[in-house]
Amino acid sequence: MSRIAYVNGAYVPHGDAMIHVEDRGYQFADGVYEVCQVREGVIVDLSRHLDRLDRSLKELRIDWPMHRGSLIHVIRQVLRRNRITEGMFYLQVTRGVAPRDHVFPAEGTRPSIVITAKRIAPSVIAAKNAKGLKAITVTDNRWDRVDIKTVGLLPNVLARQEAKEKGAQEAIYIDCEGKVKEGAATNVWMVDKDGVLLTRPAEHGILRGITRTTLMDVASRLGVEIREQEFSRDEMMNAREVFITAATSICLPIVEIDGKPIGNAHPGIVTQKIREAFFEIAEKTPI
Ligand code: PDD
C-alpha cells in the first residue's frame, strides 16, 4: 500500500507530495510543526500538541490553516488512509507561498499545511529501551526562542549528526554556565542519588515538551518526587539514571554520555516504571 500525505487541501501519494519553491517554510524556515505518537490505534496527547501548535502559531503571528476540529479530522484521515496504528504523524504549518521578501507577505496569504504519517514498529522502540542509548554533550548554539517549535532546526541537525559520527544517538545541549538544557530533539531528565527526578524548568531556553508535561502527571501518580530544577553536566554524569523524552519514543534511557557510563550503564528502574505507566495516563484520541 502506498503512503498518502495531506498537502494544502489534497490527499496525495507520498511521492507526489510537493510544496511551492517560494513556500516560506522552504526559504526562511518560517513555520512550525508538531509530532504526535500513535499507539495501539490511538493518538497520544493530541489536545496538548494542538494547544502547543496554537501557541507556536500565535508567537509567530501565523493563522491557523483551518479550524481545530477540521484539522483533527484531516489528521485522522491521514492516519486511516495510511493504516497507521503504531507510529507517528508529522504536521507542519508555514506562513505560506509569497514572492521572496523577509517581511511578512500580504494580508490574506494562506498558510501552508502538510501532514505525513509513518509506521514505527513497537519492536524498534522496545529494542532501544532494552539496550539504552548513548549521548554526547554539545554547546548550545541555537537562537533564543527555542520555546517555539519552529522548523528552523539546522543546529539540531548538526548536533545529531555529530552524535551519530561519534557512535551516539542524541546530543545534549549544555548552556554557557555548564547547565544541561535539552537534547537535539528531546527533553533531558536525571534521577539523583535520592531518587528525585530532575528536569530543567521550561520557562525559557528549552522546548516545553508535551511528553515532559504528561510525564509530570505520570511521576506524581507513581509517587516519584519531581523537581523542575537546573542541573549541571557534572551532576548529570554522576546521576543514578538519565533519560530523554519525546513524542516519538516517549522515554528512552541514556546509558553512556561522552564515552562514560551513567549509573550502572544499564537502563534504570525509574525510567522503566515511568515508561510502563505513561500510556495509561496520557490522553488517548481514537483514530
Ligand atoms: N522533537 N526538545 C526538542 C528540541 C524537540 O525537538 C522535541 C521534540 C522535544 C520533546 O518534545 P515532545 O515531548 O513534545 O515531543 C524537546 C520532535 C519529536 C522532533 O523534532 O521530531
Side-chain angles (χ1 to χ4, degrees):
M1 196 197 74
S2 66
R3 283 177 76 192
I4 301 292
Y6 177 84
V7 184
N8 292 325
Y11 298 94
V12 293
H14 197 268
D16 300 334
M18 307 281 172
I19 53 121
H20 197 277
V21 288
E22 286 197 306
D23 190 283
R24 292 182 62 97
Y26 177 62
Q27 295 203 335
F28 296 114
D30 189 359
V32 301
Y33 75 105
E34 282 296 327
V35 175
C36 254
Q37 195 194 34
V38 175
R39 191 179 147 187
E40 296 180 14
V42 298
I43 305 168
V44 179
D45 280 332
L46 180 62
S47 304
R48 281 180 170 160
H49 281 278
L50 294 182
D51 289 348
R52 185 175 61 188
L53 175 68
D54 183 54
R55 177 182 182 274
S56 298
L57 290 170
K58 285 207 171 96
E59 289 292 326
L60 298 187
R61 292 191 277 151
I62 298 175
D63 291 335
W64 271 71
M66 62 183 86
H67 290 302
R68 185 167 167 139
S70 309
L71 184 60
I72 294 172
H73 172 77
V74 175
I75 291 167
R76 284 198 172 115
Q77 279 296 315
V78 171
L79 293 169
R80 281 188 204 158
R81 288 174 191 231
N82 286 285
R83 303 213 172 105
I84 305 273
T85 54
E86 301 286 344
M88 50 86 97
F89 72 81
Y90 174 85
L91 181 166
Q92 177 175 315
V93 181
T94 74
R95 205 181 301 278
V97 176
R100 188 176 184 278
D101 187 355
H102 288 69
V103 296
F104 291 178
E107 196 79 16
T109 301
R110 287 173 66 89
S112 299
I113 172 153
V114 170
I115 304 174
T116 56
K118 193 166 83 175
R119 183 164 294 121
I120 304 173
S123 59
V124 172
I125 297 172
K128 288 181 184 169
N129 272 313
K131 203 166 164 231
L133 304 184
K134 297 177 182 177
I136 60 164
T137 57
V138 293
T139 304
D140 197 355
N141 58 355
R142 301 172 299 166
W143 76 322
D144 197 44
R145 293 306 310 275
V146 291
D147 57 296
I148 310 171
K149 198 163 173 62
T150 81
V151 295
L153 293 172
L154 189 53
N156 311 55
V157 166
L158 297 178
R160 267 279 172 101
Q161 181 62 22
E162 185 181 336
K164 184 179 176 191
E165 287 169 11
K166 290 179 172 162
Q169 293 79 39
E170 181 57 305
I172 297 174
Y173 285 118
I174 308 294
D175 70 14
C176 55
E177 289 166 0
K179 299 272 171 45
V180 173
K181 293 193 90 179
E182 62 180 336
T186 56
N187 289 120
V188 178
W189 305 70
M190 64 165 268
V191 180
D192 75 7
K193 62 175 177 14
D194 302 317
V196 178
L197 197 49
L198 304 178
T199 198
R200 185 184 177 108
E203 273 61 49
H204 184 76
I206 64 167
L207 182 74
R208 188 183 292 277
I210 300 306
T211 318
R212 176 187 182 281
T213 301
T214 299
L215 195 142
M216 292 191 177
D217 299 342
V218 176
S220 64
R221 204 77 83 79
L222 290 174
V224 176
E225 190 183 337
I226 186 160
R227 257 185 246 146
E228 284 186 87
Q229 182 183 302
E230 288 185 339
F231 53 88
S232 68
R233 178 186 175 279
D234 286 352
E235 285 169 304
M236 176 174 73
M237 298 306 289
N238 291 305
R240 212 187 259 179
E241 295 178 33
V242 174
F243 64 87
I244 52 175
T245 55
T248 33
S249 48
I250 305 301
C251 154
L252 291 173
I254 299 287
V255 296
E256 186 186 299
I257 301 176
D258 293 335
K260 306 217 168 56
I262 300 300
N264 63 5
H266 290 287
I269 194 84
V270 177
T271 311
Q272 189 190 329
K273 260 180 24 186
I274 285 173
R275 187 180 59 248
E276 284 168 3
F278 191 94
F279 184 60
E280 200 189 305
I281 288 164
E283 181 202 40
K284 294 175 270 294
T285 304
I287 298 167

